[in-house]
Amino acid sequence: MRYKRAKIRGGTYFFTVVTRLRKPFLCVPENRDLLRESFKQVMTFRPFRIEAFVLLPDHLHCIWTLPDGDRDFSTRWRLIKTHFTKNCDQQLRTQPDKSRERGKEQSVWQHRYWEHLIRDQNDFNRHVEYIHYNPVKHGYVGSPFDWEYSSFKKFVILGIYAETWGAKMEDRDDWGDIEE
């Protein structure tokens, strides 16, 4: 059975992308910089807007909005992941991924990723909250404001959140269909 992705032209999507075997290397400075470079390179010829973002050691969550008339997020992810993999430290690469057709690629990423089409403003708000609360959920910090690799501070500057948002929340169980 083939998985069908919801693809809407100009849509807004939530993504979860995970490292292969959940190896925790994404927050290492040179890897973080390479990931940023990978995004910027792809955005120059396949633009999209990053609405919210969080980087954790073994995965990332983000929300993108594609340009009007464009629905191809799959190619963008393939290009980002490929650029990162080709330019990362050889030690990060695992054994060749036998599940891929050629079986020759050394994988840094899980083959698939989770995507969700944002349906409305409430859905958008829930996913942004999930993104920003994720470092607290995983026990890295006590407050989203303390996590360096997140768009949370941008939302504070814009007046959307107070600096203290999420600092005293109990682990939330109302995230619904949001996937890790």
Side-chain angles (χ1 to χ4, degrees):
M1 182 171 138
R2 286 192 64 117
Y3 175 74
K4 293 199 175 214
R5 297 190 183 277
K7 290 190 172 185
I8 303 296
R9 295 179 191 284
T12 299
Y13 299 89
F14 167 84
F15 298 100
T16 299
V17 179
V18 181
T19 62
R20 183 162 166 82
L21 306 175
R22 287 248 182 205
K23 285 187 162 188
F25 58 79
L26 291 176
C27 293
V28 173
E30 56 270 13
N31 296 329
R32 189 181 65 243
D33 293 345
L34 177 57
L35 186 60
R36 181 180 290 119
E37 177 190 315
S38 300
F39 270 83
K40 284 181 179 180
Q41 185 208 36
V42 171
M43 291 172 88
T44 59
F45 59 93
R46 289 193 181 263
F48 60 94
R49 190 171 62 246
I50 300 173
E51 307 289 355
F53 187 90
V54 68
L55 182 68
L56 294 124
D58 64 354
H59 69 286
L60 64 87
H61 299 289
C62 56
I63 297 176
W64 293 358
T65 298
L66 298 178
D68 289 341
D70 191 339
R71 62 184 194 165
D72 188 10
F73 56 79
S74 298
T75 298
R76 287 170 171 86
W77 275 120
R78 180 179 52 77
L79 293 169
I80 290 166
K81 290 163 90 174
T82 298
H83 182 269
F84 183 92
T85 301
K86 285 182 177 178
N87 293 288
C88 72
D89 185 343
Q90 181 70 27
Q91 292 178 313
L92 290 180
R93 299 180 192 160
T94 60
Q95 294 301 314
D97 187 343
K98 304 279 191 230
S99 68
R100 302 297 302 266
E101 279 181 35
R102 287 169 291 201
K104 295 177 184 171
E105 297 176 29
Q106 291 183 319
S107 182
V108 171
W109 304 98
Q110 274 188 4
H111 177 57
R112 294 188 180 260
Y113 53 87
W114 169 262
E115 122 278 329
H116 167 80
L117 174 65
I118 300 294
R119 298 180 299 269
D120 55 29
Q121 188 64 48
N122 183 51
D123 194 31
F124 179 85
N125 295 345
R126 283 181 54 245
H127 282 81
V128 168
E129 286 183 1
Y130 181 82
I131 285 170
H132 291 145
Y133 188 69
N134 213 249
V136 177
K137 174 186 166 194
H138 287 287
Y140 293 115
V141 290
S143 166
F145 192 80
D146 296 333
W147 189 249
E148 186 178 349
Y149 317 118
S150 167
S151 58
F152 182 77
K153 289 179 183 173
K154 177 181 110 179
F155 281 69
V156 169
I157 291 166
L158 293 172
I160 296 168
Y161 291 122
E163 285 183 25
T164 57
W165 180 90
K168 296 188 190 255
M169 295 170 66
E170 296 297 322
D171 257 352
R172 299 210 20 197
D173 61 357
D174 63 339
W175 298 115
D177 63 350
I178 299 174
E179 292 287 325
E180 230 356 87

